[in-house]
Amino acid sequence: MKATTIARAVRRGEVSARSVTENALRRIAEVNPVVNAVVDTLADRARARADRLDAAIAAGQDVGPLAGVPFAVKNLIDVAGLPTLAGSKINRDLPPAGRDGALVRRLEAAGAVLVGTLAMGEYAYDFSGRNAHYGHCRNPHDPSRMTGGSSSGSGAAVAAGMVPLALGSDTNGSIRVPSALCGCFGLKPTYGRLTRAGSFMFVGSLDHLGPIARSSADLAAAYDAMQGPDADDPVCTVRPAEPVSGLLARGAEGLRIAVADGYFTRGADADALGAVSRVAAALGATTRIEIPEAARARAAAFVITAAEGANLHLARLKARPGDFDPETRDRFLANALAPATWYVQAQRFRRWYQAEVAKLFTAVDIILAPATPCAAPAVDQQTMVIDGQTVPVRASLGIFTQPISFIGLPVVAVPLKSAGGLPVGVQVIAAPWAEDRALRVAAELETRGICAAPVAEIAHA
Amino acid sequence: MAFDASTYLDQAASLVGLEIDEACRPGVIENLERLAAVARQVAEFPMPDDVEAAPVFTA
């Protein structure tokens, strides 16, 4: 069941929060051995919370719009009583978090029930879902294939039907890539929209948190519950919450929609480009638009990520290099040696590019682009060919997401099925602070039957 | 003068106080060369003097 369906039934007393929680725990026990998405199952906490909700509902109280909705969070978000692992071995030595991260508190305040923490690529430096410490995450739609990352467990847990809602983080594509490869809806809001307080982040200039779910309505419900200023995150907006759930029924009406040309057509295979074409056709979008200097924007995001990430981890790279995942260690070490002028130039380029892209949004409301260059590669595939060049998978699945998050634009990743049956995703990109428009388009695509996120049937469970 | 990642690695690692294990060295050099190639795309972009860094984005 989807999150909004569960909440409606729980609020009406048709089903108890406890029974919904038990279903989620059962599904986790059943399929997690195959997909490896959940790291810590919080059964006691979840049962206690669900029982409190049921008691409150029985007493006639309104427990909120997400009543009884089980959710899980990428394990870089604090959960009281657990060290915040961020996919690493080193962080096991951190003291347990004193309280839940801000978004966990906001979702639970709206009635949701935290049931687990989720796998991720080490320190979020990953597009693959591979992890040497905790095992690779596997795609519920085909366990021989990768989930995408770095919010690998978030995409996999939702696609596998363990939870209808998960939180992930997105620095360069880490919500949108696993959403696309696992066949889920993912929302990367505007930079600064959702508080990141109480999480172990990666690249302060680029980090976002956001939800992954199986419908646009579920994304909207979770997003509405999480909005609002937070003094504990220095870049969180002071804008008041702007709820979107009530706007989805408007669909794409009145929106000017264009397809990203140039960079966003090179290196994508027939599955990825075909998905964009199907979405564009359904929406009647015939305009093509060039996002200027997108390749350079991707390069600049790469440089900022390198410099800020390495600075964050420098003490750990000095003290415990052998405890890093071998697939992140050499990159982090190299990045720690980058000269300052690269970083500053990349930050200044960001301003230039932001102003150029802002001009595009005077003529269009939505830009469509592929989420990834292809459907999910095999779990052990190390390299891929993009635009004639052999490049590492781990760093390259995000070539189409990086130029967008680089300037904080809100995006909904919407899922389609490729000809071969694997999921593939399209980015529905809007102007800053216009999450409502991207979500409306996602809702329209669902209504028209173009996009859907069915629970994966998992063999040998 | 061509960029020599191996020499740069030794000096820069010493400057920031990082010890690079011999076993990691080939991987670090490979990643340094890749980063340099990517950074070149950004560095070569002619930037007007009045363009400052951008931490805040509005519509």
Side-chain angles (χ1 to χ4, degrees), chain A residues 191 293 295-296 299-300 302-303 318 329-331 334-337 339 342 345-352 354 392 432-433, chain B residues 8 13 16-18 24 27-28 31-32 34-36 38-39 41-45 47-48 51-55 57-59:
Chain A
Y191 178 74
E293 297 290 351
R296 219 181 297 279
F302 192 100
V303 168
K318 288 180 182 180
R329 181 188 53 218
D330 294 358
R331 296 174 74 199
N335 294 346
L337 310 178
W342 289 353
Q345 176 86 353
Q347 284 285 12
R348 291 176 61 214
F349 175 76
R350 194 178 178 204
R351 166 61 79 205
W352 180 90
Q354 190 269 337
W433 312 108
Chain B
Y8 179 82
V16 298
L18 202 56
C24 300
V28 177
N31 280 287
L32 197 51
R34 187 175 295 129
L35 175 62
V38 170
Q41 294 177 54
V42 184
E44 72 191 11
F45 186 72
M47 194 82 71
V51 175
E52 294 180 20
F57 304 100
T58 52

Side-chain angles (χ1 to χ4, degrees), chain A residues 158-249:
Chain A
V158 170
M162 297 177 183
V163 285
L165 172 67
L167 296 185
S169 68
D170 189 316
T171 304
N172 285 298
S174 284
I175 286 174
R176 292 161 287 161
V177 170
S179 293
L181 300 192
C182 293
C184 303
F185 289 84
L187 170 63
K188 184 209 75 62
T190 308
Y191 178 74
R193 173 73 87 172
L194 296 183
T195 173
R196 307 165 306 176
S199 35
F200 193 98
M201 297 308 287
F202 174 28
V203 179
S205 292
L206 302 174
D207 288 332
H208 311 67
L209 296 178
I212 296 179
R214 292 199 297 108
S215 76
S216 48
D218 285 8
L219 285 184
Y223 169 65
D224 284 348
M226 295 190 288
Q227 290 188 50
D230 186 351
D232 292 338
D233 177 351
V235 306
C236 187
T237 184
V238 294
R239 296 162 76 106
E242 297 171 300
V244 298
S245 291
L247 306 175
L248 298 190

